[in-house]
């Protein structure tokens, strides 16, 4: 037996289901195969695997009870929030690759507490959607600073677990910066609770922050204390056609330098704009066609349009390829060209998705080379690039190669590493990129990560095979195997 293997003398599957029912109530243990199947494929359709049951605890104590019951039975757990993750971490491993896990859904942990306006904070359940948190903040005259297109389904627990980024990172940072504290159930069923909202608290390891980006491998987040920011009521949005990635990077730099109210600078390309227009039935924003587009948003006071104009007047962008909106309806119309890329790509087939960050100085070279690498090795593949250019983050979407052939994924990630980038900017490693983690993490870092996992989850109960390879293996073992 490997050191991480589940305990001996496992409880029978029927015994486990009975134990789970006694913790959450029989109505919250779902075993009907049709119902279970509705939870076990990911958003992209690329990752799927069977589960023994779906369990929906309604309180932190019930989550702890479920974890204890699974640990006693030697069963593993896959944690699922909104199931909008794009790297296979929220669903079980493929059939035939080990024991079927219990899928723990946080859907019933969706409470949103009263907004603490004095502290500009709110405590929410892990299953609360981003949209629900945004709505609560706005009702209290504040704003939750993270935003992303999956807002209607993505949950706070999932966003903490993946350290979600999104559209406003250049102004407010990623999810990590918004987490003041968290309540977490560990793999032995014990509960850590840091929800008091103290912003100054230097009493040792920050265990809440340790959970940020841990992808459900170290603990199950049940509630989170979040930072809110002042509302910035006015906004100006512009969609600009530019000659290429280098021009986009240069204009983004100018905006950062001069537009104090800058909140977002997003990038996409002509092929993505055509795809979104065809998929969503939208008219193009203007008649002119350009290789590359920038979507720019400023938020703040009444001078946001003036701030935008001041930068654009001095820039080489021409009026024929410029659309500006100063009202909400116009802003939403322009944002749709960027936000609807993900669904438009899925309309073409099951995509390979790589979300990468490059040093800004390498972004333009990478954009050209990645198209070449894919065209040479996988001719006929549709390549759709878009992302958060202000953060050096490109989303590389590839449709054509079979979903289970990850050769093209490896080729792209190796190119990223050669340019000094990261193999995941925001979606995480999940099941999709485990074998390439060594491209972004040194052996010492991988060793430290394994040591943390071993300390907090010695039996490998939580999300096995996500982020780190299974017991007794590491990412370089997988890489060696792949190259054989
Ligand atoms: P899930 O998909 O359910 O889970 C994701 C991971 O978190 C899994 O490993 C899961 O096990 C773990 N997890 C979930 N809940 C918990 C919990 N309570 N405790 C511990 N672990 C947990 N991401 C970005 O970063 N930026 C974007 O701009 C962005 N835009 C998107 C747009 C679209 C249209 C879509 C479909 C996705 C987008 N995403 C984006 C990806 C996704 O929305 C985020 O990764 C989000 O954080 C996932 O939240 P979720 O609740 O759906 O998590
Ligand atoms: C976005 O920025 C998301 O829209 C999704 O991170 C990216 O679909 C993708 O590849
Ligand atoms: Zn993104």
């Amino acid at each position: 037996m490997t050191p991480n293997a589940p305990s001996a003398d496992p409880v029978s599957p029927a015994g486990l289901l009975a134990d789970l029912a006694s913790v959450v109530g029989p109505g919250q243990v779902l075993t009907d195969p049709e119902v279970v199947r509705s939870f076990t494929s990911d958003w992209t359709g690329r990752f799927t695997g069977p589960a023994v049951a779906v369990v929906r605890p309604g309180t932190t104590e019930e989550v702890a009870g479920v974890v204890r019951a699974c640990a006693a039975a030697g069963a593993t757990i896959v944690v699922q929030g909104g199931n909008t993750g794009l790297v296979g971490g929220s669903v079980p491993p493929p059939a035939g690759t080990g024991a079927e896990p219990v899928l723990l859904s946080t859907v019933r942990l969706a409470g949103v507490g009263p907004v603490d306006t004095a502290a500009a904070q709110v405590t929410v359940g892990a299953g609360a959607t981003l949209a629900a948190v945004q709505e609560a903040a706005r009702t209290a005259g504040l704003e939750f600073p993270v935003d992303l297109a999956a807002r209607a389904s993505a949950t706070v627990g999932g966003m903490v677990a993946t350290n979600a980024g999104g559209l406003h990172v250049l102004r407010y940072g990623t999810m990590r910066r918004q987490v003041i504290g968290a309540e977490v159930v560990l793999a032995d069923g014990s509960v850590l609770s840091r929800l008091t909202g103290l912003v100054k608290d230097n009493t040792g390891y920050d265990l809440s922050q340790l959970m940020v980006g841990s992808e459900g491998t170290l603990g199950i987040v049940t509630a989170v204390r979040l930072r809110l920011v002042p509302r910035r009521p006015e906004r100006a949005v512009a969609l600009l056609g530019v000659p290429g990635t280098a021009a986009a990077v240069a204009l983004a730099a100018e905006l950062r330098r001069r537009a104090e109210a800058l909140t977002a600078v997003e990038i996409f390309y002509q092929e993505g704009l055509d795809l979104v227009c065809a998929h969503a039935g939208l008219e193009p924003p203007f008649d002119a066609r350009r290789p590359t587009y920038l979507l720019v948003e400023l938020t703040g006071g009444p001078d946001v349009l003036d701030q935008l104009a001041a930068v654009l007047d001095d820039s080489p962008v021409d009026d024929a390829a410029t659309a500006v909106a100063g009202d909400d309806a116009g802003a939403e119309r322009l944002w749709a060209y960027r936000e609807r890329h993900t669904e438009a790509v899925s309309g073409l087939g099951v995509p390979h998705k790589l979300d990468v960050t490059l040093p800004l100085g390498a972004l333009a070279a990478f954009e050209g080379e990645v198209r070449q690498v894919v065209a040479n090795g996988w001719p006929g593949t549709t390549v759709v690039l878009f992302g958060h250019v202000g953060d050096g983050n490109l989303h590389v979407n590839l449709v054509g190669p079979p979903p289970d052939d990850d050769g093209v994924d490896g080729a792209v990630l190796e190119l990223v590493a050669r340019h000094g980038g990261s193999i995941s900017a925001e979606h995480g490693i999940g099941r999709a990129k485990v074998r390439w983690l060594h491209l972004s993490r040194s052996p010492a870092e991988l060793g430290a990560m394994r040591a943390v996992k071993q300390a907090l989850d010695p039996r490998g109960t939580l999300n096995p095979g996500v982020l780190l390879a299974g017991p007794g293996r590491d990412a370089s073992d997988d890489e060696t195997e792949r190259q054989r």
Side-chain angles (χ1 to χ4, degrees):
M1 189 164 100
T2 63
N4 281 344
S7 64
D9 302 330
V11 176
S12 70
L16 172 59
L17 294 180
D19 289 349
L20 293 173
S22 73
V23 174
V24 296
Q28 303 303 338
V29 181
L30 314 176
T31 54
D32 178 317
E34 270 306 294
V35 176
V36 171
R37 259 198 298 280
S38 69
F39 288 80
T40 54
S41 286
D42 82 322
W43 197 93
T44 66
R46 190 174 175 203
F47 301 96
T48 187
V52 178
V54 173
V55 181
R56 300 184 301 189
T59 63
T60 300
E61 294 66 38
E62 288 184 6
V63 174
V66 169
V67 171
R68 277 194 291 268
C70 289
T76 57
I77 297 174
V78 167
V79 191
Q80 186 177 98
N83 200 17
T84 66
L86 300 171
V87 291
S90 54
V91 294
T97 57
E100 294 179 13
V102 168
L103 193 153
L104 186 151
S105 165
T106 60
V107 67
R108 293 178 62 228
L109 301 169
V112 177
V115 171
D116 177 346
T117 47
Q121 296 177 2
V122 65
T123 300
V124 305
T129 62
L130 171 57
V133 176
Q134 289 174 331
E135 174 63 25
R138 282 174 197 153
T139 304
L142 293 161
E143 194 73 65
F144 180 60
V146 177
D147 192 22
L148 43 87
R151 56 185 77 77
S153 308
T155 65
V156 167
M159 292 172 67
V160 169
T162 58
N163 185 26
L167 310 169
H168 299 156
V169 170
L170 66 83
R171 174 163 214 112
Y172 298 112
T174 63
M175 201 60 190
R176 183 179 300 288
R177 203 151 121 210
Q178 325 314 329
V179 174
I180 311 239
E183 181 180 76
V184 183
V185 174
L186 297 181
D188 63 359
S190 56
V191 179
L192 309 178
S193 190
R194 308 294 298 174
L195 297 176
T196 52
L198 299 176
V199 289
K200 301 187 95 171
D201 182 11
N202 285 347
T203 53
Y205 304 138
D206 191 333
L207 300 174
S208 301
Q209 286 291 334
L210 181 59
M211 298 298 149
V212 183
S214 68
E215 301 190 39
T217 62
L218 299 180
I220 301 174
V221 178
T222 52
V224 188
R225 183 80 176 175
L226 293 168
R227 169 178 94 110
L228 304 175
V229 296
R231 278 217 81 178
R232 307 173 69 85
E234 304 295 331
R235 69 172 167 166
V237 174
L239 182 58
L240 312 166
V242 297
T245 305
V249 170
L251 184 51
E254 194 61 6
L255 284 157
R256 287 171 88 121
R257 199 170 63 80
R258 291 180 48 194
E260 184 260 330
L262 188 66
T263 309
V265 188
E266 301 283 306
I267 192 168
F268 52 92
Y269 295 84
Q270 185 66 54
E271 79 265 352
L273 179 60
D274 289 342
L275 182 66
V276 167
C277 288
H279 168 83
L282 300 176
E283 289 299 317
F286 32 70
D287 290 338
R289 291 169 70 80
R290 296 288 183 272
T292 307
Y293 295 87
L294 271 188
L295 190 290
V296 176
E297 179 167 282
L298 285 74
T299 55
D303 68 333
V304 287
L305 277 166
D306 294 340
Q307 279 193 38
L308 177 63
V311 181
L312 296 189
D313 286 350
D314 296 345
S315 80
V317 292
D318 64 297
D319 289 350
T322 299
V324 176
D327 62 307
D328 279 349
E332 298 310 329
R333 200 172 48 77
L334 294 181
W335 266 108
Y337 296 112
R338 162 63 182 88
E339 287 204 332
R340 300 193 68 176
H341 269 66
T342 301
E343 62 179 80
V345 168
S346 279
L348 297 178
V350 176
H352 293 243
K353 285 183 173 290
L354 293 319
D355 72 302
V356 303
T357 338
L358 281 303
L360 278 171
L363 205 67
F366 173 81
E367 186 254 320
E369 287 170 36
V370 76
R371 292 183 192 278
Q372 210 52 61
V373 163
V374 175
N376 291 345
W378 293 266
T381 298
T382 302
V383 179
V384 184
L385 305 179
F386 56 98
H388 317 282
V389 70
D391 313 325
N393 174 186
L394 271 190
H395 294 303
V396 179
N397 278 247
L398 307 170
V399 186
D404 56 356
D405 172 3
D406 55 11
V408 71
D409 306 53
V412 172
L413 298 181
E414 277 155 19
L415 181 65
V416 169
R418 284 201 292 280
H419 280 288
S422 165
I423 66 161
S424 177
E426 44 179 24
H427 302 157
I429 300 300
R431 299 189 188 284
K433 293 175 237 158
V434 172
R435 64 170 52 179
W436 295 288
L437 186 53
H438 67 281
L439 293 175
S440 286
R441 293 294 197 160
S442 68
E445 287 172 322
L446 286 170
M449 285 164 71
R450 284 195 168 283
V452 173
K453 172 71 174 171
Q454 177 69 24
L456 291 185
D457 184 15
R459 293 171 166 175
T461 302
L462 301 176
N463 276 7
V466 171
L467 178 57
L468 297 167
R473 307 176 60 81
D474 64 25
S476 45
D477 291 336
D478 281 349
E479 177 57 15
T480 310
E481 196 165 278
R482 191 175 76 89
Q483 287 172 353
R484 269 194 206 124

